[in-house]
Each structure stands twice: as structure tokens, then as C-alpha cells.
């Protein structure tokens, strides 16, 4: 935190996560700095009919700290991009208008708000596709049934249809239009969802991508789709408003790569060409959904290669996050489940206060309150 003289206060110096950080050229009228504790994008499935709802105003404003960065839950870019019930969209006028009061609430408390734009690819089924069509992907290989991260439900998927080379520019354009719509809704920028086995990740990972055209085979070809999206979005809304999330080491949704270190490094280096605001990487220790585990692999080479703000995620707690900042392994640390259960997480980190426990069973329920906006604040708990 900065005082009026522009110096970091003594109160915050001992808590690296709560010091200020300037993210590239990013500037807002209310703040040009942001704290290092970031709200990670968290699917909550409470946007009925893919339209954001008024109860999201309270949810996001509860988790807003002046000068802090929030990344909205994964938001669908088009009708072909859907894969889950009641996930928000941003391809229609109605959806854009519904996001506006939510964004305004975050800005009213001095927060910085990015929209995560998303296409699930083959992680879908006919029930979510227009006219019952097959979902699209880089491949026609079906995705195996998956256990959801709540550990309770099993989800099955329709075999996908392989996108033709001529169709790929339309998907790129859908990302571009979604970014434009996000800015119209008032968001400060967008995070391109290139992680966790969804469409962009499907193209990048060689255990999924079996194409033989210019979008398959070599590392350069497999990353072409992702970088075309980055370029289109940058050209539409400006590089300082763009971030991307990547998980080269993860195997979510059967998306693995034979050389994840090379994939992550190639993307980190290639992104420098576009001058985007940040790169958001998921730790190797989070290869599967659930608790973290020790892993010898590291994001450090990607951190050194990428010239913008580097954000990390993957089971971090207060101690891990402070250590990552002190050791210069990250500029920002994204928190998911801890922020879900602790709307005042930065305050609890500041005081080293106890944390609420999250309840997996309410992660994806449709209730507008339970497991959503009813987690207590520290003052209430005290």
C-alpha cells in the first residue's frame, strides 16, 4: 500500500503480497497500482440461462479491495463455446448489459476487473450446442468422462467435430468480439482462457492435437491458434488490457503435452511480441484437480522469459504467496478456493487471521446465496 508520498507503508512492507505492483502500462483513474493478491477466475454456475444475475453484484463487490485485481469467472464467447449449465456469456447485448452493474460495483470500491473469455471446445455435449450439434475441437477424438472438481459428479461429453482450417478464423473472431463486448460492459481488460483442457489448450497439447495442417504437428503450429487469438484481441482492445491463462503442465480434460516445459517456454517467449499486460500460469504441482503436491518442475524459466507481469496460481496459501513474491518467482498470485470462502482474504492475510473453510458441495449449486455470498467476513466471525 502506498501513502500520500508514494512510498510503501511500513505496515505492509513485511507482507509482500500486500505491496503494490504496477502492471505494465495499465492505468485507471482511481488507481494505477494493484495489490499482488488476485481473485482467480472461478466458475460458479449461477448465471441462469448464461445471463449474469444481480446476485453477482454482491459476490464480486464482497471480494473487491481498492487497487486489487479480480478476474471474473470463465465467460462464454459464443453459442458454440458453452459446456456447462448457467455459465455466463458475453456474446449478446443482453449479457453485456447484465454485466454492467456487476462491473460498476467493483469499480465503485476501487477494484480492477478483467473478464476471462472462454471456449470449452470438446468439453461439451449436444445439450449445450445450438440445434444439438456436435461440439468443436482441434480433433474428433472424444473426451473421456470426467469427475468434476467438487468430487461428486461425473460429466460425459459428446464426441467433437474437428474444426476445418477455414472455420478457425471465425473462432478467433469470436474471441475478438467477446473482448470488444467486455470493454463495452466496462471491464478493464480480458484474460484469454488458454488453460485446463479447453479449446485453446486442446490445440496446444500434442496428446490432443492430432492435426496435420498448419495448426498441428510442430510446437509452432500447435500454438498458432492461441497466438492468433492473442493478436486479434490485442488489435481490438489494446495490449495493456490483455492477459492470458496457461497450464502447460496440467492434464485437465485429458489435455497433456509430451514436453510441457518447452510448451510453456515457447508461449512465454512468443507472447512478448504482443506486449500484453500479464501471463497467468498454473503451477506444475496442480496437474490434477484437488490439493497440491510436490513437483520438481518449475515455472521459473517462463517467469524469466516473459517480459510483462507474471501471475501464478495453484494451491497457494499466505506463506507460499509471500515466498513467491520475495523470491521473484511471481509478481501476482491468484487465489481461488481461499478467496471463494474468504471474501476479505487480503485483510486476513494482512492480519494473519484464521481462514473460513470452503465447502465443495456448494461450488456449483444454483443457489444465489448459499456457498456464494454467505461466507462470513472476519469482523462477523470475531
Amino acid at each position: 500500500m502506498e501513502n500520500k508520498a508514494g512510498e510503501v507503508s511500513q505496515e505492509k512492507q513485511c507482507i509482500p503480497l500486500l505491496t503494490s505492483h504496477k502492471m505494465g502500462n495499465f492505468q485507471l483513474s482511481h488507481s494505477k497500482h494493484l495489490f499482488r493478491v488476485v481473485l482467480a477466475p472461478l466458475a460458479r454456475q449461477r448465471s441462469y440461462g448464461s445471463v449474469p444475475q444481480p446476485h453477482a453484484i454482491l459476490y464480486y463487490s464482497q471480494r473487491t479491495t481498492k487497487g486489487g485485481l479480480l478476474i471474473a469467472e470463465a465467460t462464454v464467447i459464443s453459442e458454440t463455446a458453452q459446456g456447462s449449465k448457467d455459465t455466463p456469456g458475453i456474446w449478446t447485448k443482453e449479457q453485456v448489459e447484465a454485466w454492467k452493474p456487476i462491473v460498476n460495483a467493483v469499480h465503485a470500491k476501487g477494484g480492477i476487473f478483467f473478464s476471462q473469455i472462454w471456449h470449452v471446445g470438446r468439453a461439451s455435449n449436444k445439450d449445450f450446442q445450438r440445434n444439438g450439434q456436435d461440439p468443436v475441437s482441434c480433433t474428433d477424438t472424444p473426451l473421456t468422462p470426467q469427475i468434476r472438481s467438487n468430487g461428486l459428479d461425473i460429466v460425459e461429453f459428446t464426441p467433437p467435430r474437428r474444426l476445418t482450417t477455414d472455420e478457425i478464423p471465425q473462432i478467433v473472431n469470436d474471441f475478438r468480439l467477446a473482448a470488444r463486448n467486455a470493454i463495452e460492459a466496462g471491464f478493464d481488460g480480458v484474460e484469454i482462457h488458454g488453460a485446463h483442457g479447453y479449446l485453446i489448450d486442446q490445440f496446444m497439447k500434442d496428446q490432443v492435437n492430432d492435426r496435420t495442417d498448419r495448426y498441428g504437428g510442430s510446437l509452432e503450429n500447435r500454438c498458432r491458434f492461441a497466438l492468433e487469438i492473442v493478436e486479434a484481441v490485442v488489435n481490438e482492445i489494446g495490449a495493456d488490457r490483455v492477459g492470458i491463462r496457461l497450464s502447460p503442465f496440467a492434464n485437465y480434460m485429458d489435455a497433456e503435452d509430451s514436453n510441457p516445459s518447452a510448451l510453456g517456454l515457447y508461449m512465454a517467449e512468443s507472447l512478448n511480441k504482443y506486449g500484453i499486460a500479464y501471463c497467468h500460469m498454473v503451477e506444475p504441482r496442480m496437474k490434477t484437480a484437488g490439493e497440491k503436491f510436490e513437483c520438481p518442475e518449475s515455472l521459473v524459466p517462463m517467469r524469466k522469459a516473459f517480459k510483462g507481469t507474471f501471475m501464478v496460481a495453484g494451491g497457494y496459501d499466505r506463506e507460499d504467496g509471500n515466498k513467491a513474491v520475495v523470491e521473484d518467482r511471481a509478481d501476482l498470485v491468484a487465489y481461488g478456493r481461499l478467496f471463494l470462502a474468504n471474501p476479505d482474504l487480503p485483510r486476513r492475510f494482512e492480519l494473519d487471521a484464521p481462514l473460513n473453510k470452503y465447502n465443495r458441495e456448494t461450488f456449483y449449486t444454483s443457489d444465489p446465496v448459499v456457498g456464494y455470498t454467505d461466507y462470513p467476513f472476519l469482523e462477523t466471525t470475531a
Side-chain angles (χ1 to χ4, degrees):
M1 177 177 288
E2 293 187 344
N3 58 27
K4 291 182 180 180
E7 298 174 346
V8 178
S9 68
Q10 293 295 321
E11 178 187 11
K12 298 293 190 296
Q13 281 186 346
C14 60
I15 309 173
L17 281 170
L18 300 186
T19 56
S20 59
H21 171 74
K22 187 171 183 292
M23 191 167 70
N25 295 322
F26 196 79
Q27 304 244 356
L28 294 176
S29 59
H30 58 268
S31 175
K32 66 178 181 179
H33 292 89
L34 52 92
F35 294 124
R36 298 171 190 267
V37 177
V38 178
L39 174 66
L42 297 165
R44 304 312 314 274
Q45 294 186 211
R46 289 165 167 86
S47 296
Y48 313 138
S50 294
V51 178
Q53 298 295 306
H55 46 249
I57 297 172
L58 178 59
Y59 173 75
Y60 283 109
S61 63
Q62 282 179 333
R63 287 156 182 80
T64 301
T65 302
K66 185 175 182 180
L69 174 62
L70 297 83
I71 307 171
E73 61 208 274
T75 300
V76 177
I77 63 168
S78 69
E79 286 184 298
T80 72
Q82 299 182 79
S84 302
K85 178 184 176 184
D86 294 335
T87 52
I90 200 160
W91 77 88
T92 71
K93 182 67 174 177
E94 180 186 12
Q95 292 163 343
V96 171
E97 292 301 315
W99 273 115
K100 287 181 178 180
I102 303 168
V103 177
N104 289 342
V106 171
H107 285 163
K109 293 183 69 174
I112 301 166
F113 206 12
F114 272 48
S115 170
Q116 189 190 64
I117 51 178
W118 181 44
H119 194 304
V120 304
R122 68 174 182 168
S124 184
N125 61 59
K126 291 183 177 181
D127 293 341
F128 297 110
Q129 299 296 315
R130 181 176 54 190
N131 301 322
Q133 296 171 336
D134 294 336
V136 297
S137 180
C138 63
T139 181
D140 55 11
T141 302
L143 177 60
T144 60
Q146 304 284 310
I147 299 175
R148 290 182 59 172
S149 58
N150 64 5
L152 301 173
D153 303 322
I154 296 178
V155 184
E156 296 187 354
F157 306 95
T158 301
R161 177 178 66 80
R162 185 192 304 267
L163 284 163
T164 68
T165 304
D166 292 342
E167 290 176 308
I168 289 175
Q170 179 59 55
I171 305 295
V172 173
N173 193 54
D174 288 340
F175 273 95
R176 181 186 67 80
L177 293 175
R180 176 197 291 179
N181 287 344
I183 299 305
E184 182 182 341
F187 283 102
D188 301 301
V190 301
E191 177 179 280
I192 299 165
H193 195 341
H196 294 163
Y198 297 114
L199 183 61
I200 294 173
D201 203 32
Q202 291 160 26
F203 270 85
M204 288 192 289
K205 300 286 182 64
D206 63 10
Q207 302 302 294
V208 181
N209 188 335
D210 55 4
R211 303 177 73 95
T212 57
D213 59 14
R214 64 195 298 265
Y215 291 96
S218 69
L219 182 57
E220 179 182 6
N221 282 355
R222 286 183 279 116
C223 293
R224 187 186 307 277
F225 177 58
L227 296 175
E228 285 180 350
I229 290 170
V230 170
E231 182 174 20
V233 171
V234 165
N235 288 342
E236 181 65 35
I237 66 173
D240 59 325
R241 294 180 178 272
V242 179
I244 189 169
R245 193 179 209 200
L246 302 169
S247 59
F249 295 94
N251 60 6
Y252 295 99
M253 301 290 181
D254 297 347
E256 290 191 75
D257 193 81
S258 61
N259 192 344
S261 295
L263 171 59
L265 187 59
Y266 178 83
M267 283 298 296
E269 292 172 340
S270 299
L271 289 168
N272 290 327
K273 172 184 176 181
Y274 306 100
I276 62 175
Y278 70 83
C279 178
H280 181 181
M281 286 272 193
V282 179
E283 285 282 0
R285 64 189 183 185
M286 298 301 292
K287 286 186 177 180
T288 56
E291 300 303 319
K292 65 185 179 183
F293 58 93
E294 293 305 316
C295 179
E297 296 170 300
S298 170
L299 297 178
V300 171
M302 287 132 246
R303 165 28 165 201
K304 291 180 177 179
F306 183 67
K307 292 182 168 53
T309 290
F310 195 77
M311 187 189 311
V312 295
Y316 277 88
D317 57 20
R318 181 181 187 271
E319 181 181 357
D320 289 341
N322 281 326
K323 189 176 180 181
V325 173
V326 168
E327 295 178 354
D328 197 31
R329 291 184 283 109
D331 298 305
L332 307 176
V333 181
Y335 290 86
R337 290 164 293 178
L338 293 187
F339 224 145
L340 179 156
N342 297 273
D344 53 351
L345 188 65
R347 176 65 172 165
R348 290 176 187 258
F349 279 178
E350 177 186 348
L351 301 176
D352 198 13
L355 301 179
N356 300 323
K357 296 183 183 299
Y358 53 81
N359 180 3
R360 287 183 181 277
E361 294 182 5
T362 61
F363 280 1
Y364 306 113
T365 62
S366 60
D367 194 291
V369 176
V370 177
Y372 192 58
T373 57
D374 62 345
Y375 283 104
F377 284 73
L378 187 60
E379 291 78 6
T380 306
T381 304

